[in-house]
Amino acid sequence: MTSIFRLVMGDDFDRLHPQLRRRFSVGLDSGEACLGRGVMDRIWHGRPFVKPFLALGGSRNILVPRTGRRVPFTIENVPYTDAYGRETVTFVRTFALADGPRRFDATMIHSPERACVLDYLGTHQHLASDLHPTAEPDGSLLIRSGQHRFREGPVDVRVPQLICGDAEVRESYDDATGRFRIRVRVTNRRFGPLFGYEGSFTATYVPLRSYGLRAGLRPVREEARA
């Protein structure tokens, strides 16, 4: 068994900065969870018409329906086996905003069928996005989203490009400060920028046997379809 990102990236994984290789090696095989803590310098939104959609998504911990600067931030990457026997890693991000904490939840698996990391968004995994990670020449990680699908009961439909967002995540490691730097940007091909954040954080690694999967990290509903 190996990490879900190494499975998808193959030899390209070895081109990442060593600290990124360790962080994205978190899985059942590593026996570790990765806990990040830092500050998002900026959380931003696009034009005013996106706010109702962000508010709706925020009710299921998808995206963040508030903006802010110098926002304290945590991310919890904890591997576990889901109800369908698949290795899963949580990407639970908590933003300590002025009006209270807001979460942006994702759980990720390796999808051999789709040859990608499959990213289930939110508390109920209603949205599934294909993620395609690549190593950049400077050792940073670039993740671009591909197809998005909505799944509920018998419904399994592709989200039209007109209404969905294309996500781009860039994560790097700054040797001078000992911090990871992250920039997330979600755009729509017709309507432009929708949402994003950028900042930095440090990471610690803890044994799974002592940290475990705390209450609230696992989604309320798990989706069988990969």
Side-chain angles (χ1 to χ4, degrees), residues 143-219:
I143 303 174
R144 288 193 172 101
S145 65
Q147 188 180 122
H148 307 278
R149 289 173 306 285
F150 176 81
R151 290 165 167 174
E152 170 61 32
V155 177
D156 183 3
V157 295
R158 182 172 179 173
V159 180
Q161 288 290 342
L162 178 64
I163 62 173
C164 72
D166 296 317
E168 182 179 278
V169 179
R170 293 181 182 270
E171 189 164 325
S172 60
Y173 187 79
D174 186 338
D175 288 293
T177 62
R179 298 177 71 85
F180 292 90
R181 296 207 60 84
I182 186 165
R183 185 178 70 188
V184 174
R185 183 178 177 86
V186 181
T187 60
N188 177 275
R189 296 183 185 183
R190 178 172 179 179
F191 300 110
L194 302 178
F195 163 82
Y197 58 87
E198 55 192 81
S200 66
F201 61 94
T202 59
T204 57
Y205 301 88
V206 296
L208 271 179
R209 62 179 177 271
S210 61
Y211 189 79
L213 191 67
R214 69 168 179 80
L217 279 187
R218 193 165 181 157

Coordinates of all heavy atoms in Angstrom, one line a residue, residues 143-219:
I143 N -2.2 21.2 -8.2 CA -3.4 20.4 -8.4 C -4.5 21.1 -9.1 O -4.9 22.2 -8.8 CB -4.0 19.9 -7.0 CG1 -2.9 19.2 -6.1 CG2 -5.2 19.0 -7.2 CD1 -3.4 18.9 -4.7
R144 N -4.9 20.5 -10.2 CA -6.0 21.1 -11.0 C -7.2 20.2 -11.0 O -7.1 18.9 -11.1 CB -5.6 21.3 -12.5 CG -4.6 22.5 -12.6 CD -4.5 22.9 -14.1 NE -3.7 24.1 -14.3 CZ -2.4 24.1 -14.7 NH1 -1.8 23.0 -14.9 NH2 -1.8 25.3 -14.8
S145 N -8.4 20.7 -10.9 CA -9.6 19.9 -10.9 C -10.0 19.6 -12.3 O -9.7 20.3 -13.3 CB -10.8 20.6 -10.2 OG -11.1 21.8 -10.9
G146 N -10.7 18.5 -12.5 CA -11.2 18.1 -13.8 C -12.8 18.1 -13.7 O -13.4 19.0 -13.3
Q147 N -13.3 16.9 -14.1 CA -14.8 16.8 -14.1 C -15.4 16.8 -12.7 O -14.8 16.3 -11.7 CB -15.1 15.5 -14.8 CG -16.6 15.3 -15.0 CD -16.9 14.0 -15.7 OE1 -17.6 13.1 -15.2 NE2 -16.3 13.7 -16.9
H148 N -16.6 17.5 -12.6 CA -17.3 17.5 -11.3 C -18.6 16.8 -11.5 O -19.3 16.9 -12.5 CB -17.6 19.0 -10.9 CG -16.4 19.8 -10.9 ND1 -15.5 19.9 -9.8 CD2 -15.9 20.7 -11.8 CE1 -14.6 20.8 -10.0 NE2 -14.8 21.3 -11.2
R149 N -19.0 16.0 -10.5 CA -20.3 15.3 -10.5 C -21.1 15.5 -9.2 O -20.5 15.7 -8.2 CB -20.1 13.8 -10.7 CG -19.6 13.5 -12.1 CD -19.2 12.0 -12.3 NE -18.2 11.6 -11.3 CZ -16.9 11.9 -11.3 NH1 -16.4 12.7 -12.2 NH2 -16.1 11.5 -10.3
F150 N -22.4 15.6 -9.4 CA -23.4 15.6 -8.3 C -24.0 14.3 -8.1 O -24.5 13.7 -9.1 CB -24.4 16.7 -8.5 CG -25.5 16.7 -7.4 CD1 -25.2 17.4 -6.3 CD2 -26.7 16.1 -7.6 CE1 -26.2 17.5 -5.2 CE2 -27.6 16.1 -6.6 CZ -27.4 16.8 -5.4
R151 N -24.0 13.8 -6.8 CA -24.5 12.5 -6.6 C -25.4 12.5 -5.3 O -25.0 12.9 -4.3 CB -23.3 11.5 -6.3 CG -22.6 11.2 -7.6 CD -21.2 10.6 -7.3 NE -20.6 10.1 -8.5 CZ -19.4 9.5 -8.6 NH1 -18.7 9.5 -7.5 NH2 -19.0 9.1 -9.7
E152 N -26.6 12.0 -5.5 CA -27.6 11.9 -4.4 C -28.6 10.8 -4.8 O -29.3 10.9 -5.8 CB -28.3 13.2 -4.2 CG -29.5 13.2 -3.3 CD -29.1 12.7 -1.9 OE1 -28.0 13.0 -1.4 OE2 -30.0 12.1 -1.2
G153 N -28.6 9.8 -4.0 CA -29.5 8.6 -4.3 C -29.2 8.1 -5.7 O -28.0 7.8 -6.0
P154 N -30.2 7.9 -6.5 CA -29.9 7.4 -7.9 C -29.3 8.4 -8.8 O -28.9 8.0 -9.9 CB -31.3 6.9 -8.4 CG -32.2 7.8 -7.7 CD -31.6 8.1 -6.3
V155 N -29.3 9.7 -8.4 CA -28.8 10.7 -9.3 C -27.3 10.7 -9.4 O -26.6 10.7 -8.3 CB -29.3 12.1 -8.8 CG1 -28.7 13.2 -9.7 CG2 -30.8 12.1 -8.8
D156 N -26.7 10.7 -10.5 CA -25.3 10.8 -10.8 C -25.1 11.6 -12.1 O -25.1 11.0 -13.1 CB -24.6 9.4 -10.8 CG -23.1 9.5 -10.9 OD1 -22.5 10.6 -10.9 OD2 -22.5 8.4 -11.1
V157 N -24.9 12.9 -12.0 CA -24.8 13.7 -13.2 C -23.6 14.6 -13.2 O -23.1 15.0 -12.1 CB -26.1 14.6 -13.3 CG1 -27.3 13.8 -13.5 CG2 -26.2 15.6 -12.1
R158 N -23.1 14.8 -14.3 CA -21.9 15.7 -14.5 C -22.4 17.2 -14.3 O -23.5 17.6 -14.9 CB -21.3 15.6 -15.8 CG -20.1 16.4 -16.1 CD -19.3 16.0 -17.3 NE -18.2 16.9 -17.6 CZ -17.3 16.7 -18.5 NH1 -17.4 15.7 -19.4 NH2 -16.3 17.5 -18.7
V159 N -21.7 18.0 -13.6 CA -22.1 19.4 -13.4 C -21.6 20.2 -14.6 O -20.4 20.1 -15.0 CB -21.4 20.0 -12.1 CG1 -21.8 21.4 -11.9 CG2 -21.8 19.1 -10.9
P160 N -22.5 20.9 -15.3 CA -22.1 21.6 -16.5 C -21.0 22.7 -16.2 O -21.0 23.3 -15.1 CB -23.4 22.3 -16.9 CG -24.5 21.5 -16.2 CD -23.9 21.0 -14.9
Q161 N -20.2 22.9 -17.1 CA -19.1 23.8 -17.0 C -19.6 25.2 -16.7 O -19.0 26.1 -16.1 CB -18.2 23.9 -18.2 CG -17.3 22.6 -18.4 CD -16.2 22.6 -17.4 OE1 -15.9 23.6 -16.7 NE2 -15.6 21.4 -17.1
L162 N -20.8 25.5 -17.2 CA -21.4 26.9 -17.1 C -21.5 27.3 -15.6 O -21.4 28.4 -15.2 CB -22.7 27.0 -17.8 CG -23.5 28.3 -17.7 CD1 -22.6 29.4 -18.4 CD2 -24.8 28.2 -18.3
I163 N -21.8 26.3 -14.8 CA -22.1 26.6 -13.4 C -21.1 26.1 -12.4 O -21.2 26.3 -11.2 CB -23.5 26.1 -13.0 CG1 -23.6 24.6 -13.1 CG2 -24.6 26.8 -13.8 CD1 -24.9 24.0 -12.5
C164 N -20.1 25.3 -12.8 CA -19.1 24.8 -11.9 C -17.9 25.6 -11.8 O -17.6 26.5 -12.7 CB -18.8 23.3 -12.2 SG -17.8 23.1 -13.6
G165 N -17.1 25.4 -10.8 CA -15.8 26.1 -10.7 C -14.6 25.2 -10.9 O -14.6 24.0 -10.6
D166 N -13.6 25.8 -11.6 CA -12.4 25.0 -11.8 C -11.4 25.4 -10.7 O -11.1 26.6 -10.6 CB -11.8 25.4 -13.2 CG -12.7 25.0 -14.3 OD1 -13.2 23.8 -14.3 OD2 -12.9 25.8 -15.3
A167 N -10.9 24.5 -10.0 CA -10.0 24.7 -8.9 C -8.6 24.5 -9.2 O -8.2 23.6 -10.0 CB -10.4 23.8 -7.7
E168 N -7.7 25.4 -8.7 CA -6.3 25.3 -8.9 C -5.7 25.5 -7.5 O -5.9 26.5 -6.8 CB -5.7 26.3 -9.8 CG -4.2 26.2 -10.1 CD -3.7 27.2 -11.1 OE1 -3.8 26.9 -12.3 OE2 -3.2 28.2 -10.6
V169 N -4.9 24.5 -7.0 CA -4.2 24.5 -5.7 C -2.7 24.5 -6.0 O -2.3 23.6 -6.7 CB -4.7 23.4 -4.8 CG1 -4.0 23.4 -3.5 CG2 -6.2 23.4 -4.7
R170 N -2.0 25.4 -5.4 CA -0.5 25.4 -5.4 C 0.0 25.3 -4.0 O -0.3 26.2 -3.2 CB 0.0 26.6 -6.2 CG -0.3 26.7 -7.6 CD 0.3 27.9 -8.3 NE -0.1 27.9 -9.7 CZ 0.7 27.4 -10.7 NH1 1.8 26.8 -10.4 NH2 0.3 27.5 -11.9
E171 N 0.8 24.3 -3.7 CA 1.4 24.2 -2.4 C 2.9 24.0 -2.6 O 3.4 23.2 -3.4 CB 0.8 23.0 -1.6 CG 1.2 23.0 -0.2 CD 0.4 22.1 0.7 OE1 -0.9 21.9 0.4 OE2 0.9 21.4 1.6
S172 N 3.6 24.8 -1.7 CA 5.1 24.7 -1.8 C 5.6 24.7 -0.4 O 4.9 24.9 0.6 CB 5.6 25.9 -2.6 OG 5.3 27.1 -2.0
Y173 N 6.9 24.5 -0.3 CA 7.6 24.6 1.0 C 8.7 25.6 1.0 O 9.5 25.6 0.1 CB 8.2 23.2 1.4 CG 8.7 23.2 2.8 CD1 7.8 23.1 3.9 CD2 10.1 23.3 3.1 CE1 8.3 23.0 5.2 CE2 10.5 23.3 4.4 CZ 9.6 23.2 5.5 OH 10.1 23.1 6.8
D174 N 8.7 26.5 2.0 CA 9.7 27.6 2.1 C 10.7 27.1 3.1 O 10.5 27.1 4.3 CB 9.0 28.8 2.6 CG 9.9 30.1 2.6 OD1 11.1 29.9 2.7 OD2 9.4 31.2 2.6
D175 N 11.9 26.8 2.6 CA 13.0 26.3 3.5 C 13.4 27.4 4.5 O 13.9 27.1 5.6 CB 14.2 25.9 2.6 CG 13.9 24.6 1.9 OD1 13.8 23.5 2.6 OD2 13.9 24.6 0.7
A176 N 13.4 28.7 4.1 CA 13.9 29.7 4.9 C 13.0 29.9 6.2 O 13.5 30.2 7.3 CB 13.9 31.1 4.1
T177 N 11.7 29.7 6.1 CA 10.8 29.9 7.2 C 10.3 28.6 7.8 O 9.7 28.6 8.9 CB 9.6 30.7 6.8 OG1 8.8 30.0 5.8 CG2 10.0 32.1 6.2
G178 N 10.5 27.4 7.1 CA 10.0 26.2 7.6 C 8.5 26.1 7.6 O 7.9 25.4 8.4
R179 N 7.9 26.7 6.6 CA 6.5 26.8 6.5 C 6.0 26.3 5.1 O 6.7 26.6 4.1 CB 5.9 28.2 6.7 CG 6.2 28.7 8.1 CD 5.7 30.1 8.3 NE 4.3 30.2 8.4 CZ 3.6 30.0 9.5 NH1 4.2 29.7 10.6 NH2 2.3 30.1 9.5
F180 N 4.9 25.7 5.0 CA 4.2 25.4 3.8 C 3.4 26.6 3.3 O 2.8 27.3 4.2 CB 3.2 24.2 3.9 CG 3.9 22.9 4.2 CD1 4.1 22.5 5.5 CD2 4.2 22.1 3.2 CE1 4.8 21.3 5.8 CE2 4.9 20.8 3.4 CZ 5.1 20.5 4.7
R181 N 3.5 26.9 2.1 CA 2.7 28.0 1.5 C 1.6 27.4 0.6 O 1.9 26.5 -0.2 CB 3.6 29.0 0.7 CG 4.6 29.7 1.6 CD 4.9 31.1 1.1 NE 3.8 31.9 1.0 CZ 3.3 32.7 2.0 NH1 3.9 32.6 3.2 NH2 2.2 33.5 1.7
I182 N 0.4 27.9 0.7 CA -0.7 27.4 -0.1 C -1.5 28.5 -0.8 O -1.6 29.6 -0.1 CB -1.6 26.5 0.7 CG1 -2.7 25.8 -0.2 CG2 -2.3 27.3 1.9 CD1 -3.4 24.7 0.5
R183 N -1.9 28.3 -2.0 CA -2.8 29.3 -2.7 C -3.9 28.5 -3.4 O -3.6 27.6 -4.2 CB -2.0 30.1 -3.7 CG -2.9 31.2 -4.3 CD -2.0 32.0 -5.3 NE -1.7 31.3 -6.5 CZ -0.8 31.7 -7.4 NH1 -0.2 32.9 -7.3 NH2 -0.6 31.0 -8.5
V184 N -5.1 28.8 -3.1 CA -6.3 28.1 -3.7 C -7.1 29.1 -4.5 O -7.3 30.2 -4.0 CB -7.1 27.4 -2.6 CG1 -8.4 26.9 -3.2 CG2 -6.3 26.4 -1.9
R185 N -7.4 28.8 -5.7 CA -8.2 29.7 -6.6 C -9.2 28.9 -7.3 O -8.9 27.9 -8.0 CB -7.2 30.4 -7.5 CG -7.9 31.4 -8.4 CD -6.8 32.1 -9.3 NE -7.4 33.1 -10.3 CZ -7.6 34.3 -10.0 NH1 -7.3 34.8 -8.8 NH2 -8.1 35.1 -10.9
V186 N -10.5 29.3 -7.2 CA -11.6 28.7 -7.9 C -12.2 29.7 -8.9 O -12.6 30.8 -8.4 CB -12.7 28.1 -6.9 CG1 -13.8 27.5 -7.7 CG2 -12.1 27.2 -5.9
T187 N -12.3 29.3 -10.1 CA -12.8 30.2 -11.1 C -13.9 29.5 -12.0 O -13.9 28.3 -12.1 CB -11.7 30.8 -12.1 OG1 -11.1 29.6 -12.7 CG2 -10.6 31.5 -11.3
N188 N -14.7 30.3 -12.6 CA -15.7 29.8 -13.6 C -15.3 30.4 -15.0 O -14.9 31.5 -15.1 CB -17.1 30.3 -13.2 CG -18.1 29.9 -14.2 OD1 -18.3 30.5 -15.2 ND2 -18.7 28.8 -14.0
R189 N -15.4 29.5 -16.0 CA -14.9 29.9 -17.3 C -15.6 31.1 -17.9 O -15.1 31.8 -18.7 CB -14.9 28.7 -18.3 CG -14.0 27.6 -17.8 CD -14.0 26.4 -18.7 NE -13.2 25.3 -18.2 CZ -13.0 24.2 -18.8 NH1 -13.5 24.0 -20.0 NH2 -12.3 23.2 -18.2
R190 N -16.8 31.3 -17.5 CA -17.6 32.4 -18.0 C -17.6 33.6 -17.0 O -17.5 34.8 -17.4 CB -19.0 32.0 -18.3 CG -19.9 33.1 -18.8 CD -21.3 32.7 -19.3 NE -22.1 33.8 -19.7 CZ -23.3 33.6 -20.2 NH1 -23.9 32.4 -20.3 NH2 -24.0 34.7 -20.6
F191 N -17.8 33.3 -15.7 CA -18.0 34.4 -14.8 C -16.7 34.8 -14.0 O -16.8 35.7 -13.2 CB -19.1 34.0 -13.8 CG -20.4 33.7 -14.4 CD1 -20.8 32.4 -14.5 CD2 -21.1 34.7 -15.0 CE1 -22.1 32.1 -15.1 CE2 -22.3 34.4 -15.6 CZ -22.8 33.1 -15.6
G192 N -15.6 34.2 -14.2 CA -14.3 34.6 -13.7 C -14.1 34.1 -12.3 O -14.6 33.0 -11.9
P193 N -13.3 34.8 -11.4 CA -12.9 34.3 -10.1 C -14.2 34.2 -9.2 O -15.0 35.1 -9.2 CB -12.0 35.4 -9.6 CG -11.5 36.1 -10.8 CD -12.6 36.0 -11.8
L194 N -14.2 33.1 -8.4 CA -15.3 32.8 -7.5 C -14.9 32.9 -6.1 O -15.6 33.4 -5.2 CB -15.9 31.4 -7.8 CG -16.5 31.2 -9.2 CD1 -17.0 29.8 -9.3 CD2 -17.5 32.2 -9.6
F195 N -13.7 32.2 -5.7 CA -13.4 32.1 -4.3 C -11.9 31.7 -4.3 O -11.4 31.0 -5.2 CB -14.2 30.9 -3.7 CG -13.7 30.4 -2.4 CD1 -14.0 31.0 -1.2 CD2 -13.0 29.2 -2.4 CE1 -13.5 30.5 -0.1 CE2 -12.5 28.6 -1.3 CZ -12.8 29.3 -0.1
G196 N -11.3 32.0 -3.2 CA -9.9 31.6 -3.0 C -9.3 32.0 -1.6 O -10.0 32.7 -0.9
Y197 N -8.2 31.4 -1.3 CA -7.4 31.8 -0.1 C -6.0 31.5 -0.3 O -5.6 30.7 -1.2 CB -8.0 31.2 1.1 CG -8.0 29.6 1.1 CD1 -6.9 28.9 1.5 CD2 -9.1 28.9 0.7 CE1 -6.8 27.5 1.5 CE2 -9.1 27.5 0.7 CZ -8.0 26.8 1.2 OH -8.0 25.5 1.2
E198 N -5.1 32.2 0.5 CA -3.7 32.0 0.4 C -3.1 32.3 1.7 O -3.6 33.2 2.5 CB -3.1 32.9 -0.7 CG -3.4 34.4 -0.6 CD -3.0 35.1 -1.8 OE1 -3.7 35.1 -2.8 OE2 -1.9 35.7 -1.8
G199 N -2.0 31.6 2.1 CA -1.4 31.8 3.4 C -0.3 30.8 3.6 O 0.2 30.2 2.6
S200 N 0.0 30.5 4.8 CA 1.1 29.6 5.2 C 0.8 28.9 6.5 O 0.0 29.3 7.3 CB 2.4 30.3 5.2 OG 2.5 31.2 6.3
F201 N 1.5 27.7 6.7 CA 1.2 27.0 7.9 C 2.4 26.0 8.1 O 3.2 25.8 7.3 CB -0.1 26.1 7.8 CG -0.1 25.1 6.7 CD1 0.3 23.8 6.9 CD2 -0.5 25.5 5.4 CE1 0.3 22.9 5.8 CE2 -0.5 24.6 4.4 CZ -0.1 23.3 4.6
T202 N 2.6 25.6 9.4 CA 3.5 24.6 9.7 C 2.8 23.3 9.9 O 1.5 23.2 10.1 CB 4.2 24.9 11.1 OG1 3.3 25.1 12.1 CG2 5.0 26.2 10.9
A203 N 3.5 22.2 9.9 CA 2.9 20.8 10.0 C 3.6 20.0 11.0 O 4.8 20.1 11.2 CB 2.9 20.1 8.6
T204 N 2.8 19.2 11.7 CA 3.3 18.2 12.7 C 2.7 16.9 12.3 O 1.6 16.8 11.7 CB 3.0 18.6 14.1 OG1 1.6 18.7 14.3 CG2 3.7 19.9 14.6
Y205 N 3.4 15.8 12.6 CA 3.0 14.5 12.3 C 2.8 13.7 13.6 O 3.7 13.7 14.4 CB 4.0 13.8 11.3 CG 4.2 14.6 10.1 CD1 5.1 15.6 10.0 CD2 3.4 14.3 8.9 CE1 5.3 16.4 8.8 CE2 3.6 15.1 7.8 CZ 4.5 16.1 7.7 OH 4.7 16.8 6.6
V206 N 1.7 13.1 13.7 CA 1.3 12.3 14.9 C 0.9 10.9 14.5 O 0.3 10.7 13.5 CB 0.2 13.0 15.7 CG1 0.7 14.4 16.2 CG2 -1.0 13.1 14.9
P207 N 1.3 9.9 15.4 CA 0.9 8.5 15.1 C -0.6 8.4 15.1 O -1.3 8.9 15.9 CB 1.5 7.7 16.2 CG 2.5 8.6 16.9 CD 2.1 10.0 16.6
L208 N -1.1 7.6 14.1 CA -2.5 7.4 14.0 C -3.1 6.7 15.3 O -4.2 7.0 15.7 CB -2.9 6.5 12.8 CG -3.1 7.2 11.5 CD1 -3.4 6.2 10.4 CD2 -4.3 8.2 11.6
R209 N -2.3 5.8 15.8 CA -2.8 5.0 17.0 C -3.1 5.9 18.2 O -3.9 5.6 19.0 CB -1.8 3.9 17.3 CG -0.4 4.4 17.7 CD 0.5 3.2 18.1 NE 1.8 3.7 18.4 CZ 2.8 3.9 17.6 NH1 2.6 3.6 16.3 NH2 4.0 4.3 17.9
S210 N -2.4 7.1 18.2 CA -2.7 8.0 19.4 C -3.6 9.1 19.0 O -4.4 9.5 19.9 CB -1.3 8.6 19.9 OG -0.7 9.3 18.9
Y211 N -3.7 9.5 17.7 CA -4.5 10.6 17.3 C -5.9 10.1 17.0 O -6.9 10.6 17.4 CB -3.9 11.4 16.2 CG -4.7 12.7 15.9 CD1 -4.5 13.8 16.6 CD2 -5.6 12.8 14.8 CE1 -5.2 15.0 16.4 CE2 -6.3 13.9 14.5 CZ -6.1 15.0 15.3 OH -6.7 16.2 15.0
G212 N -6.0 9.1 16.1 CA -7.2 8.5 15.7 C -8.1 9.5 14.8 O -7.6 10.6 14.5
L213 N -9.3 9.0 14.5 CA -10.2 9.8 13.7 C -11.2 10.5 14.7 O -12.2 9.8 15.1 CB -10.9 8.9 12.7 CG -11.7 9.6 11.6 CD1 -10.8 10.4 10.7 CD2 -12.5 8.6 10.8
R214 N -10.9 11.7 15.1 CA -11.8 12.3 16.1 C -13.2 12.6 15.6 O -13.4 12.6 14.4 CB -11.2 13.7 16.6 CG -11.2 14.8 15.5 CD -10.8 16.1 16.1 NE -10.8 17.2 15.2 CZ -11.9 17.8 14.7 NH1 -13.1 17.5 15.2 NH2 -11.8 18.8 13.9
A215 N -14.1 12.7 16.5 CA -15.5 12.9 16.1 C -15.7 14.2 15.3 O -15.1 15.2 15.5 CB -16.3 13.1 17.4
G216 N -16.4 14.0 14.2 CA -16.7 15.1 13.3 C -15.8 15.2 12.1 O -16.1 16.0 11.2
L217 N -14.7 14.5 12.0 CA -13.9 14.5 10.8 C -14.5 13.7 9.7 O -14.4 14.0 8.5 CB -12.5 14.0 11.2 CG -11.5 14.9 11.8 CD1 -10.1 14.3 11.9 CD2 -11.4 16.2 11.1
R218 N -15.1 12.6 10.0 CA -15.7 11.7 9.0 C -17.0 12.3 8.5 O -17.8 12.8 9.2 CB -15.9 10.3 9.6 CG -16.2 9.2 8.6 CD -16.1 7.9 9.2 NE -16.3 6.8 8.3 CZ -15.8 5.6 8.4 NH1 -15.1 5.3 9.5 NH2 -16.1 4.6 7.5
P219 N -17.2 12.2 7.2 CA -18.5 12.8 6.6 C -19.7 12.1 7.2 O -19.6 10.9 7.6 CB -18.3 12.6 5.1 CG -17.3 11.6 4.9 CD -16.4 11.7 6.1

